[in-house]
Amino acid sequence: MDIVIMVGQLILGLSILVILHELGHFIAARAFGIKVEKFYLFFDAWNVSLVKFNYKGVEYGIGWLPLGGYVKIAGMIDESMDTDQMAGPPQPWEFRSKPAWQRLIVMLGGIIVNIILGILIFWVLTIKYGETYIPNDQAKYGIVPGKIGKEIGLKPGDKILAVNGQKLERFEDVVSSKVLMGNSTLSVLRGTESLSVKVPGSILNEVSDLGTEEFISRIPRTTFKIDTVIAGSNAQKAGIQNGDSVVAVNGKPIKFFDQLTSELQQFKNKNVDLTLKRNNEIVPVTALINKDGTLGFADGRYGIQVKRDLPQEKTLNFGFFGSLPVGASKAWGTFSDNAKGLGKVFTGQVKANKALSSPIGIARLFGSHVDWLRFWSLVGLLSMALALMNLLPIPALDGGHALFLIIEMIKGKPLSDKFLERAQIVGFVILITLMVFVFGNDIIKIMNKK
């Protein structure tokens, strides 16, 4: 059932994006009097469609191959590779008969709609939910670095005061793009000592493999108490009770939740001596640690049963019009972050197999249950990513068509149909190769985790 929910959210999200993207081309073409012959969600390869109907001279349908969608514009060399139509003389309603600037707008229509959609989604989400964050000064016990964070020199309890010299106002920004893109400097307070920690430019490779929690936990360091002991667990068998505090493991003092989890991980399938504090009394117990390094309880934020002293969150509300620049800034931020990420791939700082995902990887982001805030946030992010990808100057993508039109405008005459046909084929080969790569990469990732 989990897979069905993931796939269902993926199909719904991508369908919204594809339909609106193609609608951008459709509206622009019709505005300039260009005939549109087909409007399809997914591809009707070999003319096989699941559903189709005609309305006002346009064939609308759903194809069987779920790799995007298209509009077939008369007089244009596109995905259909309909060269027969191009053999005849240009007609007034055809794409090729229109001025280059009009054709350029038609090609950019889908990208423009994706950008508008991304801004609209983040605007509406900001209106409804505002912005909730943990003020950095509320993280009084500092950070919990994971394996990656420790490798670059961070320690539990460090307080990050600034990133690249700019004061850190929101705790969540310790895992923001300006940090994870690498080549940044963290200003750290360790006890009374101030120091700088460099974040390498290749850190996205490690984060892609292990996750952001293995860089720095999104939850600050906290104290804790046992809220509920799971029936039948080793914790219950050892005599641990609700409300107890663990103050030592094998005689080693424990104050914070990350200290407890770190210590228990060292004693899998072994007995440990725990010192508990119960109603101001010290109670020693001996407990068997599970094979996964737990006692049968863990962090309450994730649906399991430890009560942590979490810092108080702050929510900002901006109103209807005040939310627009905030939403637009978030949309632009996702576009910019994706562009920077692609730049790191092209320059070799980040490996392509770490940065690129197929629909398989995207489906996992949606999760196994429906959370509309997460769903629309991902759709907004994907809308901006789709706009960026289509801007790439690859033949067969909107950016490739736009590039050829700009060259035509500079030269003063169009490129030959033969060149455009060959370029389209090259573009298809590039895109198919890319699809095979990202699908194979995500399948390998899943198999390696089993």
Side-chain angles (χ1 to χ4, degrees), residues 77-79 81 395-396 401 420-428:
I77 299 174
D78 58 8
E79 297 92 339
M81 295 301 290
H401 289 294
L420 294 176
E421 289 171 17
R422 290 173 178 172
Q424 195 79 359
I425 293 171
V426 170
F428 276 133

Side-chain angles (χ1 to χ4, degrees), residues 15-51:
S15 296
I16 291 170
L17 295 176
V18 170
I19 289 171
L20 292 178
H21 177 91
E22 299 304 331
L23 184 62
H25 294 305
F26 180 89
I27 292 173
R30 295 296 288 264
F32 294 125
I34 302 171
K35 182 180 179 181
V36 177
E37 298 174 350
K38 285 185 174 184
F39 189 130
Y40 263 75
L41 171 64
F42 307 148
F43 287 97
D44 58 332
W46 297 289
N47 290 318
V48 177
S49 56
L50 302 178
V51 177

